[in-house]
Amino acid sequence: MRTVKFIHISDVLLGIDVDKETSWGDDRKKEIYETFEKIIERATDIGVDFLFISGNLFDHKPDDGELEWLDGVLGSLKDTVVIYAAGFNDNLGGGAAIMSYRFRSSVCVIGSPAMGSYLSLGGGYRDAQATMAMDHLHFPEKDLDVYGVSYFDGRMDAHAIDEAEPDDRAVHNVLVACGGDRHRMPVNWHSLHDRGFDYIAMGGRQKYSVEIPGKVYYPGSPEAVSMESTGPHGYIYVEIGSDGTKAEFVPVAAREYKRIDYHVDNYTRDGELGEAIERLLNIEGVENIYTINIVREGGCEKSFDISEMLSEYRILAVNGEEFERTDYSEYVKANKNTEFGKLLEKLDDSDIDSSSGAKMAVDRMIDMSMLYCKNNKKMGNDVFREMKRQVMSLLEIECHAYENQRDIKEYLEIRNDYIISPDVLEQLNLVWAKERAMELEITTLRKRAEELPRKYRREWILMGIRATVIPMMTMGILSIILLSATLKRIGGSFPDDRLVYILIFMMLVIWGFYCAGYVFAKYRGIIKKGGKIRLHEELEHNQICLNALCADRDAIHKKRTELQMLDGRRRDMYESMNDREKKLDVKLQKLRLVRSALDMLRE
């Protein structure tokens, strides 16, 4: 069998935001891409047959644009076949773009139907028995069979590769997968040990590790992506031949994450500590990224300030720089009859936390006097007064420095304006309710003014009907009765000329009644009810009331507008104050703490 050479990488995590809140965060993101491209260049230089990517090439599901870029980068590999198994980050589920993307370069995505059944480069093809659960690729020209598993979801609890076994042991066999822990593709390494694979390319871990020497390897991330991933990072170069498998880890990362532990005591000075750590940084490599742990010895209670000295280096954190004092029992015991003891009495158990002004005052007194270096921990009254003066002076300078910062100054101005601004919300609600009541009353008066003429018109019509129609009906009935009685008396008929006179007479009588009723109605409407005069008077009174209400309503409306402006201005100040408080939270807490410590020392 011929010798097969390949590079194994995993967990490149293209696109991840590393140290995004630091000044070098953007550079780190670019370096991950640059290191990946450097590996591709080395693969070309070495002339490897294959590049195995065992999961998490991207830290997310790549879109078409990212796959187009990847296709272009991998296209530089003229004689190398890329075998890409998707991991839990860049999985093939949920309509992933990689499921349908067809690479122009020689890339085979494990489990993806887009690859087809044949690879032009290397004479490879997909076995007819291959499934999406366990893909199987033959490369007869290379004497190599590749088995692989891709993720189709972010989790895979099934034991997908425990029972995997090569079909043809006369060729080299490689298994490509990602996971190996109890949550992602659990693996029984003991059962997999003798399955007949020459190399098992695993992914899913960010640090290089060997699970089974000579067989199962995790290359880790080519570039470290977190401060926990200390040590070298790179890829694995592998050769499989007739004499077995040879695997070599090759560092390639632009920089490493490192940790420096430095031991200090109460007599270590800031300058001495800073210079010592700078020397170590230069020895370990200024290009690297560091976490510095200050290890205290011999009951060291001294706080240090070296962050500014190390600002030119890539320092993620300086742990233990400030000492957090929690036990004051020795100081209380040694200062029972001193002025410092009286200050300690103000510090009860509830005050022993970082947000207590009393704690700050006591700590500053201890740190200023270096009382922690003394065996008896006692502070004389003269020393206390001098230390108190110095501490108060420093606290006042610190307080003024915070207050004079532009953002703090603007916040305090807004806060003061808010405090003195009147709270008119309750008054505004009352005025608004009163304005609405007036609007309702004005609407009622306007409707009444429209209704009054119609009301009087109805009254006049009804009065005329009662005064005229009723007498006419009464007279008509009497006329019929009289005519009937007269006809009976004269024998049943009237002479023609007399009938005419009788009818004329009756009509005149009815007309007379009508006129009398009309005159009566007019008299009653004008004299007793006032008629049009009364209507005009009511309309005039209604208009006077309406004008008065409108004037009051306008005055109330003006007042309501003024109150709304005041309330709106107060609300704007409140929102602005809250927004600034969120942004200045740390500074404001420090300012409140300094003020509280000053108040405690002034008592």
Side-chain angles (χ1 to χ4, degrees), residues 163-417:
E163 302 302 322
E165 191 167 357
D167 294 336
D168 185 4
R169 299 202 180 192
V171 298
H172 304 306
N173 291 280
V174 174
L175 175 62
V176 186
C178 179
D181 58 34
R182 62 177 182 172
H183 297 298
R184 294 190 173 103
M185 203 183 296
V187 177
N188 184 336
W189 300 114
H190 180 73
S191 67
L192 197 61
H193 187 279
D194 299 321
R195 289 291 178 183
F197 290 103
D198 297 284
Y199 186 85
I200 299 177
M202 294 298 294
R205 297 181 185 174
Q206 293 181 11
K207 295 181 71 171
Y208 168 73
S209 62
V210 181
E211 197 65 43
I212 301 176
K215 185 180 288 286
V216 182
Y217 291 85
Y218 285 88
S221 302
E223 281 285 348
V225 294
S226 69
M227 61 188 297
E228 289 79 20
S229 299
T230 56
H233 285 257
Y235 62 88
I236 300 175
Y237 173 71
V238 184
E239 291 184 3
I240 304 177
S242 56
D243 56 347
T245 300
K246 298 178 182 178
E248 176 189 0
F249 177 77
V250 182
V252 71
R255 63 192 80 252
E256 296 180 24
Y257 285 85
K258 292 191 173 186
R259 189 180 76 176
I260 292 177
D261 296 335
Y262 195 86
H263 296 258
V264 297
D265 56 29
N266 283 326
Y267 301 97
T268 304
R269 297 188 302 273
D270 281 3
E272 173 191 343
L273 176 60
E275 290 172 3
I277 290 177
E278 278 190 294
R279 285 194 297 271
L280 289 173
L281 293 176
N282 283 281
I283 293 171
E284 294 289 334
V286 295
E287 74 280 1
N288 296 317
I289 303 169
Y290 293 90
T291 300
I292 297 171
N293 297 318
I294 296 177
V295 182
R296 298 175 178 276
E297 293 183 342
C300 176
E301 296 184 19
K302 183 177 181 180
S303 293
F304 300 92
D305 186 9
I306 60 171
S307 295
E308 190 65 29
M309 297 175 64
L310 305 176
S311 60
E312 295 181 1
Y313 300 91
R314 292 180 176 88
I315 308 297
L316 273 179
V318 179
N319 300 321
E321 188 175 14
E322 185 172 342
F323 177 73
E324 190 67 31
R325 193 174 284 108
T326 57
D327 185 8
Y328 296 86
S329 56
E330 290 186 27
Y331 296 98
V332 172
K333 186 177 179 180
N335 292 274
K336 286 185 177 180
N337 299 314
T338 65
E339 293 183 21
F340 182 53
K342 293 180 182 178
L343 180 62
L344 286 167
E345 289 175 2
K346 299 176 182 178
L347 186 68
D348 57 31
D349 292 339
S350 62
D351 287 328
I352 303 179
D353 61 66
S354 58
S355 62
S356 165
K359 174 178 168 56
M360 174 179 269
V362 170
D363 285 345
R364 291 290 179 90
M365 293 288 290
I366 293 173
D367 293 339
M368 179 69 71
S369 63
M370 295 187 69
L371 191 61
Y372 50 79
C373 293
K374 297 181 180 180
N375 291 327
N376 60 5
K377 301 292 190 293
K378 183 175 181 179
M379 184 186 294
N381 291 336
D382 292 338
V383 174
F384 172 79
R385 295 187 192 104
E386 178 58 24
M387 291 300 105
K388 180 178 178 180
R389 184 189 65 78
Q390 291 184 27
V391 169
M392 287 183 66
S393 177
L394 291 175
L395 286 173
E396 285 172 354
I397 292 171
E398 192 173 346
C399 184
H400 290 318
Y402 275 113
E403 290 175 343
N404 289 326
Q405 291 182 20
R406 183 177 177 182
D407 47 3
I408 296 286
K409 213 169 184 178
E410 290 174 353
Y411 164 78
L412 292 175
E413 288 176 0
I414 294 173
R415 185 171 178 273
N416 290 333
D417 289 343

Side-chain angles (χ1 to χ4, degrees), residues 78-216:
K78 303 302 181 184
D79 301 312
T80 303
V81 178
V82 179
I83 309 296
Y84 176 11
F88 41 85
N89 284 332
D90 52 358
N91 67 81
L92 305 181
I98 198 170
M99 284 290 281
S100 58
Y101 185 85
R102 291 190 175 275
F103 284 89
R104 297 183 299 277
S105 53
S106 296
V107 177
C108 172
V109 179
I110 296 293
S112 171
M115 185 199 79
S117 60
Y118 182 75
L119 278 171
S120 58
L121 185 62
Y125 61 91
R126 176 172 276 158
D127 187 276
Q129 303 301 318
T131 65
M132 295 178 77
M134 176 63 72
D135 211 344
H136 183 191
L137 307 173
H138 290 298
F139 294 91
E141 297 177 7
K142 305 288 186 181
D143 291 333
L144 179 71
D145 279 3
V146 178
Y147 298 80
V149 179
S150 281
Y151 280 70
F152 288 85
D153 198 347
R155 292 178 63 89
M156 186 184 288
D157 297 332
H159 289 250
I161 63 174
D162 278 358
E163 302 302 322
E165 191 167 357
D167 294 336
D168 185 4
R169 299 202 180 192
V171 298
H172 304 306
N173 291 280
V174 174
L175 175 62
V176 186
C178 179
D181 58 34
R182 62 177 182 172
H183 297 298
R184 294 190 173 103
M185 203 183 296
V187 177
N188 184 336
W189 300 114
H190 180 73
S191 67
L192 197 61
H193 187 279
D194 299 321
R195 289 291 178 183
F197 290 103
D198 297 284
Y199 186 85
I200 299 177
M202 294 298 294
R205 297 181 185 174
Q206 293 181 11
K207 295 181 71 171
Y208 168 73
S209 62
V210 181
E211 197 65 43
I212 301 176
K215 185 180 288 286
V216 182

